[in-house]
């Protein structure tokens, strides 16, 4: 959170004119950049409206947690009010979403979305927005696990009249999702008094802040229930908007023979695959024809295994991008193309039947296959030559067919502990964004360490696997593709060949193929099966997955020399790079590879480089205060 004080203190700071300045300073320190003008205006205009209401309600001792970070995500609730329930005497919390809107209109036939004149795209109805925040908070803050009744949610539209927002009330209201306007200020004060007593909220705030963050629901562990039974994920803000836009497009397609393309873009951990599975589950339950497709064998095979464990027909919902070469046009209601950055120029390969070999772009095939094709992508995760899925290419392909294309940008972060700062640090480190490497400033969301040897890295991860409340943490070691890979397993072998050799430390790559060997899982299941620990994964088995702790070995293909990174393509053993692959493309793909590997960890990441100068550089960035690596966590 950016600031925590009693309502009386917050009001006093506002009268002094220091509140917004204090929030700006804290924001810049937390995120590494200045807040936008609209955010500052919100603090200057909306926070005084809320503090005024609290003081008028006699709740000046209630604690205000301003810009409260929701666990394991970069999303923030505007304010959480912490206090004592007037009836029970137990801790009580009110999540508050503040809006400066004077008017808003429910989207036609879809009141979960609404229109604001100043915004080009629909936004989430604030009633549903704050309800989502409450649900998410209850899912991930251990202090609230047994007391869901302690949390209420309210949207306060302090500039709005009832007439100006009346259509928003088509969304049902309840304790965790209700709304008050300027005309209802008296009722708003009554609501606050019904949830909070005129007593100090400091103790309740302590409990919430110190509440243990429960481990995130892993994507593969809940896929089966998500598709078969009910929603397991809580979608927030842009995620929910993308979800609702797709469902709205499906309704239009059925009603008026309408076709629309939806593109959802976001960085690693922004929730693209969660949206994909949520959509698939909802469409499946409704009886709509929908399929999920990727260009990743690991992702598709893993999700087939998990989601179809008890219901084999579910496996048929998961396809590959090249499965639609001869599909009937608009045969599906929805085609969900996950990891669309892995689209290729065409679907044809050496196994393609001659009758199907054409120069038709793969993206055109996928657009043709459904009335609502959905593409979810992050173009910084392109790691192979020939992969070409970008927002611009998909928009151009849609325009070529005369189709509307909606783009939703996901700016939230649900991986790496929800740390936007860490994802930005990785992009700057590798020269993919910004002006180059920067010193890491710990943000209490994700842990980052360096190792002096691969054995130290492995020992650290072994210790972390024994931790975790209620379950053991998952951990994996992955490396750049810098060692030969024995892909032919012969009968005389009794274990996987230890191909990754660094000094006197050696470990095998993950299993080369689709069947388990010597107790190690098949390649597609390496990231999800606990037996995957002990083998070193590569980008092709790690991409699209997450685990609690990530160990990353940077090989000699990317080393730091004096003041810059140097890519050595001769150090790469990846057979995908050929003589025809330009140096500039190899440079970009190797950097993208390490971005993928460095953004798999939910709780933390430890990095080791085989190169001494690179280790020294990493240590200076991660542990600048000592110049040496921090002690391993106990």
């Amino acid at each position: 959170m950016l600031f925590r004080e009693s309502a009386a203190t917050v009001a006093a700071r506002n009268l002094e004119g220091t509140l917004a300045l204090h929030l700006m300073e804290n924001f810049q320190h937390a995120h590494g950049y200045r807040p936008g003008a609209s955010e500052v205006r919100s603090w200057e205009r909306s926070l005084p409206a809320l503090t005024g209401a609290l003081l008028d309600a006699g709740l000046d001792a209630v604690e205000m947690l301003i810009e409260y970070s929701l666990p394991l995500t970069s999303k923030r609730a505007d304010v959480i009010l912490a206090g004592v329930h007037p009836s029970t005497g137990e801790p009580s919390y009110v999540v508050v979403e503040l809006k400066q809107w004077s008017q808003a209109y429910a989207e036609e036939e879809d009141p979960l979305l609404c229109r604001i004149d100043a915004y080009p795209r629909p936004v989430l109805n604030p009633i549903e927005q704050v309800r989502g925040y409450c649900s998410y908070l209850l899912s991930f803050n251990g202090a609230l696990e047994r007391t869901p009744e302690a949390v209420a949610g309210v949207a306060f539209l302090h500039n709005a009249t009832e007439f100006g927002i009346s259509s928003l009330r088509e969304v049902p209201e309840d304790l965790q999702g209700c709304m008050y306007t300027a005309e209802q200020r008296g009722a708003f004060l009554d609501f606050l008094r019904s949830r909070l007593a005129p007593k100090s909220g400091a103790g309740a705030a302590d409990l919430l802040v110190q509440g243990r963050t429960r481990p995130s629901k892993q994507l593969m562990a809940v896929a089966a229930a998500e598709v078969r039974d009910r929603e397991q994920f809580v979608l927030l803000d842009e995620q929910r908007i993308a979800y609702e836009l797709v469902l709205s497009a499906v309704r239009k397609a059925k009603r008026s023979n309408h076709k629309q393309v939806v593109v959802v873009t976001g960085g690693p951990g922004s929730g693209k695959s969660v949206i994909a599975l949520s959509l698939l589950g909802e469409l499946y339950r409704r009886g709509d024809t929908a399929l999920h497709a990727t260009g990743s064998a690991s992702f598709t095979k893993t999700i087939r295994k998990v989601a179809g464990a008890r219901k084999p027909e579910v496996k048929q919902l998961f396809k590959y991008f090249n499965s639609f070469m001869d599909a009937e046009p608009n045969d599906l209601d929805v085609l969900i193309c996950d990891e669309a950055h892995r689209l290729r120029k065409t679907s044809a390969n050496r196994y393609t039947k001659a009758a199907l070999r054409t120069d038709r772009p793969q993206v055109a095939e996928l657009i043709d296959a459904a009335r609502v094709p959905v593409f979810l992508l992050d173009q910084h995760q392109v790691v192979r030559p020939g992969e070409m899925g970008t927002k611009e290419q998909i928009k151009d392909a849609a325009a070529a067919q005369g189709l509307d294309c909606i783009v939703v940008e996901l700016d939230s972060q649900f991986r790496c502990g929800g740390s936007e700062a860490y994802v930005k640090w990785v992009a700057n480190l590798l020269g993919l964004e910004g002006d180059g490497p920067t010193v890491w400033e710990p943000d209490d969301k994700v842990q980052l360490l360096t190792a002096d040897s691969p054995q130290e890295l492995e020992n650290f991860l072994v210790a972390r696997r024994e931790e975790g409340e209620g379950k053991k943490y998952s951990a994996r070691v992955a490396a750049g593709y810098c060692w030969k890979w024995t892909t032919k397993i012969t009968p005389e072998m009794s274990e996987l060949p230890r191909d990754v050799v660094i000094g006197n430390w050696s470990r095998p790559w993950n299993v080369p193929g689709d069947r388990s060997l010597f107790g190690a899982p098949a390649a597609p299941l390496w990231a999800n099966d606990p037996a995957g620990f002990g083998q070193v994964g590569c980008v092709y088995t790690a991409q699209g997955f997450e685990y609690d702790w990530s160990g990353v070995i940077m090989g000699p293909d990317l080393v730091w020399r004096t003041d810059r990174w140097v890519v050595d393509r001769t150090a790469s053993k990846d057979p995908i790079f050929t003589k025809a692959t330009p140096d500039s493309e190899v440079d970009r793909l190797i950097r993208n590879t390490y971005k993928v590997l460095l953004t798999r960890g939910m709780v933390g990441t430890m990095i080791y480089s085989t190169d001494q100068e690179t280790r020294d550089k990493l240590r200076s960035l991660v542990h600048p205060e000592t110049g040496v690596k921090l002690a391993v966590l106990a």
Side-chain angles (χ1 to χ4, degrees), residues 551-584:
V552 178
I553 297 175
M554 297 183 69
D557 56 346
L558 184 65
V559 295
W560 184 264
R561 291 293 177 262
T562 308
D563 60 354
R564 61 191 178 92
W565 288 107
V566 175
V567 171
D568 181 2
R569 66 179 293 162
T570 65
S572 175
K573 307 301 181 186
D574 193 339
I576 202 72
F577 297 148
T578 67
K579 291 181 179 179
T581 309
D583 287 348
S584 59

Side-chain angles (χ1 to χ4, degrees), residues 35-113:
S38 62
E39 192 145 30
V40 175
R41 281 196 302 272
S42 175
W43 297 335
E44 292 174 337
R45 299 173 184 176
S46 295
L47 288 175
L50 178 59
T51 54
L54 287 166
L55 266 58
D56 286 351
L59 302 175
D60 53 299
V62 163
E63 205 86 351
M64 296 180 68
L65 283 62
I66 300 174
E67 296 291 341
Y68 180 89
S69 293
L70 296 175
L72 296 177
T73 169
S74 60
K75 280 292 175 189
R76 306 188 304 273
D78 287 341
V79 181
I80 294 183
L81 305 176
V84 177
H85 196 281
S87 300
T88 67
E90 297 296 319
S92 183
Y93 307 95
V94 178
V95 182
V96 184
E97 177 63 23
L98 296 167
K99 299 293 187 189
Q100 300 179 66
W101 305 345
S102 56
Q103 289 184 314
Y105 317 93
E107 181 80 331
E108 183 179 355
E109 298 185 12
D110 192 356
L112 288 176
L113 301 179

Side-chain angles (χ1 to χ4, degrees), residues 613-625:
E613 185 175 346
T614 306
R615 288 201 298 276
D616 293 340
K617 177 63 178 177
L618 291 170
R619 188 181 303 117
S620 73
L621 296 173
V622 178
H623 312 297
E625 70 285 352

Side-chain angles (χ1 to χ4, degrees), residues 157-179:
L157 280 60
H158 55 88
N159 288 333
T161 64
E162 279 299 297
F163 179 79
I165 56 87
S166 59
S167 62
L168 300 189
R169 295 199 185 277
E170 294 178 37
V171 171
E173 298 182 54
D174 57 23
L175 179 62
Q176 294 180 355
C178 58
M179 180 172 66

